[in-house]
Amino acid sequence: MNELVPGGNLPLPGGALTLRVPGPFDLSALVTDDSGKVGGDQDFVFYNQSAAPGLRLRDDALGVEPGRLRAGATRVTVVVSPGEPGTPLGRLPVPTLHVLDPAGRPLARFTPARTGRETVLLLAELYRRGTGWKVRALGQGYADGLSGLARDFGVDVIEDRSPAPTGPGAAPAAPPHSAAAPGRLPSPATFLAPGASVADPEGFLGLVNSARNQAGSPPVVLDPRLMSAARAHAAEMAAAGSLSAEGRDGTSVFQRVTLAGYRCLTVGEHLVSGPRTPAEFVAYCLRTERPRRTLHDPVRTDAGFGYVRDGRSGDTYWTALWAVPLTAGALTRTADEVVRRTNGERARAGLPPLAVDPLLTAAAQAHSADMVARDFYAHTSPDGAQPWDRAAAAGSRRRSIGENIACGQRSAAEVVDGWMNSPGHRANILKPAFTHLGVGVSGGGRTGTYWTQLFGA
């Protein structure tokens, strides 16, 4: 049986599969296409709606037949929440996912890191790859419960607010449903189209997109999760009376993005004090090279901003976030860019290119995701695993393994440049004996995006 780590994946056999999560939990599932958004209430399987094409929920087990999912479905995301609505998952045993093959034999198991105040957890996803399907371990929690989950998947759940019956003999009103418990949603739920607009009465978005248009970059949209994270961090800086990427409680601006429920590949930030209006803030960003480059970056599609005035000093503290959401396509493009730039450096040194190795890629992605999930930055994981251990666990049989890691860089160009300016990392990139490479990228950690290169020979 395979033990998965966050970001780790495994090919699945054909036929019906069973996913079990024993314990005091509610299990649910979301069906999406390549956009990552649900198409309607038929894409949500939970306590009050226990079946959909290719899916059936019974107690602690979810039956999945990938071949019978609705047309266009490319992903099934498995969600777990407390059986008792509103209970933080940190008060319960850590949920463990068991994946069973069509004969009921164990295929894989995944136990995520212990959560804290999160009340909903994306445990894993089944996703189409070519003509087959794979399972990937996630371990992504939402401190704001179902509302965060809903925003991530383009779902707006409208609860039944009809008046409670009154008078003698009337049935007692049902308790209000907690946003933390997908298993207790009223049925049917109402789903709104993805991409609903966010109010921007101060015209921030228009100013930003005008500047991006002049630079030849496509427009960004305001994302409510990024808005929430930006406002929270601006308030923290105003309360502390200083600019900082990390709050007084140790939570970084990048971690606030994750806590708000936004799954990012990379995110850039502007932390500024002084400007009094959005127009002054945008003008400040355009005056100097690095802030201007972040605002103009054509790959960033989502944005959020917030500002708070410090009542003691009168200073205004701003946080603006510019993000690339974590999608399969964006992850592939970013990893490919790292490989391309790495091979460009090898070509300049007269060395042959490195071929992409899917097993090394899986191990590298798992390590980047693990560093974000368990909040560490090292070649040795908290359980003692080394790069060669992770490569072997992914199925690689390569004789020689090398690893580069980095955190905080905002693009493939930035991270490869950084590695090339470090003698040890440069030596791995330019080692003649290496023939293959895998790249992993995961955002939302303490210092932003975490990068891994795993070399093999």
Side-chain angles (χ1 to χ4, degrees):
M1 183 174 62
N2 293 272
E3 292 283 353
L4 297 176
V5 298
N9 61 74
L10 180 74
L12 294 170
L17 305 163
T18 301
L19 283 67
R20 292 188 63 242
V21 184
F25 306 106
D26 277 345
L27 195 60
S28 52
L30 291 149
V31 179
T32 56
D33 55 21
D34 286 336
S35 72
K37 306 295 184 181
V38 297
D41 58 2
Q42 75 280 359
D43 285 346
F44 198 3
V45 172
F46 63 103
Y47 179 82
N48 283 339
Q49 184 170 287
S50 61
L55 297 174
R56 180 167 296 277
L57 180 63
R58 290 181 180 150
D59 299 323
D60 66 355
L62 175 70
V64 183
E65 292 185 69
R68 296 188 57 213
L69 294 171
R70 67 157 173 87
T74 58
R75 187 171 73 182
V76 177
T77 302
V78 182
V79 181
V80 68
S81 59
E84 184 64 30
T87 303
L89 285 165
R91 296 182 187 174
L92 302 176
V94 178
T96 295
L97 173 70
H98 301 263
V99 183
L100 310 178
D101 71 8
R105 295 184 296 263
L107 276 174
R109 182 169 60 193
F110 171 55
T111 303
R114 176 168 289 279
T115 57
R117 57 193 180 94
E118 290 87 346
T119 51
V120 170
L121 184 68
L122 303 187
L123 201 53
E125 62 183 6
L126 277 62
Y127 62 101
R128 186 190 300 275
R129 180 55 55 89
T131 58
W133 285 75
K134 303 179 80 172
V135 61
R136 177 187 290 122
L138 297 177
Q140 168 76 47
Y142 291 89
D144 54 350
L146 180 62
S147 58
L149 176 73
R151 287 192 301 267
D152 220 15
F153 286 84
V155 182
D156 192 11
V157 181
I158 308 301
E159 297 191 24
D160 182 4
R161 299 189 182 276
S162 55
T166 60
H177 293 287
S178 166
R184 306 301 183 202
L185 285 175
S187 181
T190 299
F191 294 84
L192 300 183
S197 60
V198 178
D200 180 25
E202 297 170 278
F204 177 87
L205 190 62
L207 293 165
V208 165
N209 282 334
S210 175
R212 288 175 64 88
N213 180 61
Q214 292 179 29
S217 298
V220 293
V221 297
L222 292 179
D223 184 279
R225 296 157 296 180
L226 295 177
M227 295 287 285
S228 174
R231 288 167 180 159
H233 196 74
E236 173 62 26
M237 292 193 299
S242 64
L243 294 173
S244 176
E246 193 168 289
R248 294 166 297 175
D249 63 353
T251 302
S252 77
V253 63
F254 310 107
Q255 290 172 313
R256 292 186 199 282
V257 171
T258 299
L259 290 172
Y262 186 95
R263 300 173 66 204
C264 69
L265 184 65
T266 63
V267 60
E269 82 289 356
H270 287 136
L271 309 178
V272 180
S273 66
R276 294 164 296 178
T277 65
E280 290 183 8
F281 173 80
V282 172
Y284 161 81
C285 292
L286 294 174
R287 280 200 297 269
T288 52
E289 181 186 358
R290 181 161 181 171
R292 182 172 60 248
R293 190 167 65 242
T294 299
L295 189 151
H296 285 163
D297 190 342
V299 304
R300 303 190 190 279
T301 60
D302 297 346
F305 76 101
Y307 63 95
V308 175
R309 179 166 287 116
D310 178 358
R312 297 161 299 181
S313 67
D315 291 336
T316 302
Y317 288 84
W318 293 77
T319 298
L321 300 170
W322 317 89
V324 178
L326 178 58
T327 64
L331 179 60
T332 298
R333 287 191 297 272
T334 302
D336 287 348
E337 178 71 3
V338 172
V339 173
R340 185 184 70 79
R341 289 180 176 273
T342 297
N343 281 333
E345 298 293 346
R346 287 178 64 89
R348 279 186 280 277
L351 296 169
L354 301 170
V356 174
D357 183 317
L359 299 179
L360 294 180
T361 298
Q365 183 60 35
H367 189 53
S368 286
D370 193 28
M371 288 191 288
V372 169
R374 292 201 275 180
D375 193 16
F376 74 98
Y377 176 64
H379 293 288
T380 303
S381 64
D383 55 11
Q386 300 285 347
W388 44 88
D389 299 319
R390 293 188 287 271
S396 175
R397 296 294 179 265
R398 301 205 175 274
R399 300 183 306 276
S400 178
I401 295 293
E403 184 179 75
N404 285 346
I405 58 175
C407 63
Q409 293 80 6
R410 293 161 177 79
S411 68
E414 193 175 325
V415 74
V416 173
D417 286 347
W419 280 327
M420 288 301 293
N421 288 324
S422 167
H425 298 96
R426 179 186 178 94
N428 272 338
I429 289 175
L430 301 182
K431 186 172 180 177
F434 285 143
T435 57
H436 289 77
L437 174 65
V439 174
V441 189
S442 186
R446 181 173 298 277
T447 56
T449 300
Y450 286 63
W451 308 78
T452 302
Q453 283 183 312
L454 201 57
F455 302 88

